[in-house]
């Protein structure tokens, strides 16, 4: 619709909230490992862990994701609050987050909503959050995500939010951090000032 604001689809885990870092900390603690976030080359941490400890199942490795309050207590990414404010001046920001129940448990829906409410008071309501495993089916003007599989299959414009597990992904614009993301998003959306 001409004249309407662009829709900016924004991933939550590892774009707004430091999910992988917390999961790594808990996995290291529980299994006496020393994995570092910057060394993780696969989006699915269980694959990284199973290279070191092949006897561990994905259920054991990902168990923290199913624990109450895991998502509710994540640290916020540096610059995310200011960055979201800048993005909101470019368009309508909608959270699009994956929460597969088999992996995260049903409590993740509530925990993610409460996390957004605590870290972005008055910014996001129920109408601004979409829970889906199929982000490629959500229509927007641009998707911002760290997951290689989401960015690779998104049919429209997409921005890679840099992480060690997506360094192999090319062909889409890349934001290294929240400081540069809003300006890159403006360019990708081709907004004239």
């Amino acid at each position: 619709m001409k004249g309407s604001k662009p829709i900016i689809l924004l991933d939550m885990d590892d774009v707004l909230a430091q999910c992988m870092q917390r999961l790594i900390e808990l996995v290291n603690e529980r299994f006496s490992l020393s994995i570092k976030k910057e060394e993780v080359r696969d989006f699915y941490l269980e694959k990284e862990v199973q290279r070191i400890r092949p006897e561990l199942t994905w259920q054991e490795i990902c168990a923290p994701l199913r624990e109450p309050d895991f998502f509710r207590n994540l640290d916020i990414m540096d610059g995310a609050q200011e960055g979201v404010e800048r993005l909101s001046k470019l368009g309508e920001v909608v959270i699009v987050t994956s929460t597969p129940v088999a992996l995260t448990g049903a409590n993740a829906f509530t925990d993610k909503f409460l996390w957004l409410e605590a870290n972005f008071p008055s910014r996001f309501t129920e109408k601004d959050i979409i829970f889906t495993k199929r982000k490629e089916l959500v229509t927007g003007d641009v998707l911002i995500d760290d997951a290689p599989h989401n960015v690779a299959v998104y049919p429209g414009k997409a921005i890679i939010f840099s992480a060690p597990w997506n360094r192999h992904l090319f062909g889409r614009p890349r934001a290294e951090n929240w400081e540069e993301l809003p300006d890159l998003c403006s360019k990708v959306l081709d907004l004239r000032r």
Side-chain angles (χ1 to χ4, degrees), residues 175-191:
E176 291 297 327
N177 53 47
W178 269 100
E179 186 176 325
E180 67 182 51
L181 179 60
D183 290 335
L184 178 59
C185 188
S186 179
K187 288 177 189 165
V188 167
L189 291 171
D190 195 27
L191 299 175

Side-chain angles (χ1 to χ4, degrees), residues 1 4 7 9 40 52 64 68 74 102 127 131 151 169 186 192:
M1 179 185 300
S4 65
I7 305 296
L9 304 174
V40 174
I52 303 163
L74 296 175
K127 70 177 183 58
F131 291 98
V151 174
L169 191 60
S186 179
R192 308 281 189 238

Side-chain angles (χ1 to χ4, degrees), residues 9-171:
L9 304 174
L10 185 61
D11 179 36
M12 184 173 164
D13 300 327
D14 293 304
V15 175
L16 291 174
Q18 295 187 34
C19 183
M20 183 69 84
Q21 181 61 45
R22 183 64 183 138
L23 181 58
I24 289 169
E25 290 167 3
L26 293 170
V27 166
N28 281 342
E29 180 182 301
R30 291 174 189 189
F31 302 112
S32 300
L33 298 171
S34 57
I35 296 170
K36 294 179 176 60
K37 179 180 172 184
E38 59 273 6
E39 298 170 351
V40 174
R41 296 293 176 249
D42 198 304
F43 177 79
Y44 299 101
L45 183 62
E46 63 270 20
K47 292 180 181 178
E48 296 280 339
V49 173
Q50 287 172 334
R51 287 186 191 108
I52 303 163
R53 299 274 305 275
E55 75 280 7
L56 296 174
T57 66
W58 75 266
Q59 292 92 340
E60 291 171 305
I61 297 162
C62 295
L65 297 173
R66 292 184 296 282
E67 293 171 2
D69 297 331
F70 174 84
F71 290 99
R72 188 176 183 179
N73 294 322
L74 296 175
D75 291 335
I76 192 168
M77 297 290 275
D78 289 339
Q81 289 167 322
E82 299 83 6
V84 167
E85 287 305 311
R86 288 176 59 202
L87 283 180
S88 68
K89 292 180 175 127
L90 302 175
E92 185 176 347
V93 180
V94 177
I95 303 300
V96 180
T97 185
S98 178
T99 310
V101 175
L103 180 64
T104 62
N107 58 297
F109 293 95
T110 302
D111 284 353
K112 286 186 175 196
F113 182 79
L114 292 171
W115 185 92
L116 286 165
E117 192 175 68
N119 288 281
F120 295 90
S122 305
R123 168 58 58 200
F124 299 112
T125 64
E126 299 98 25
K127 70 177 183 58
D128 304 311
I129 305 166
I130 299 170
F131 291 98
T132 183
K133 183 75 173 130
R134 303 277 313 272
K135 294 182 184 182
E136 75 275 11
L137 300 178
V138 181
T139 303
D141 293 287
V142 64
L143 170 70
I144 301 166
D145 207 312
D146 69 297
H149 56 277
N150 289 332
V151 174
V153 301
Y154 193 73
K157 295 176 181 177
I159 296 172
I160 305 162
F161 194 83
S162 250
W165 49 88
N166 65 32
R167 289 287 175 202
H168 66 282
L169 191 60
F170 298 99

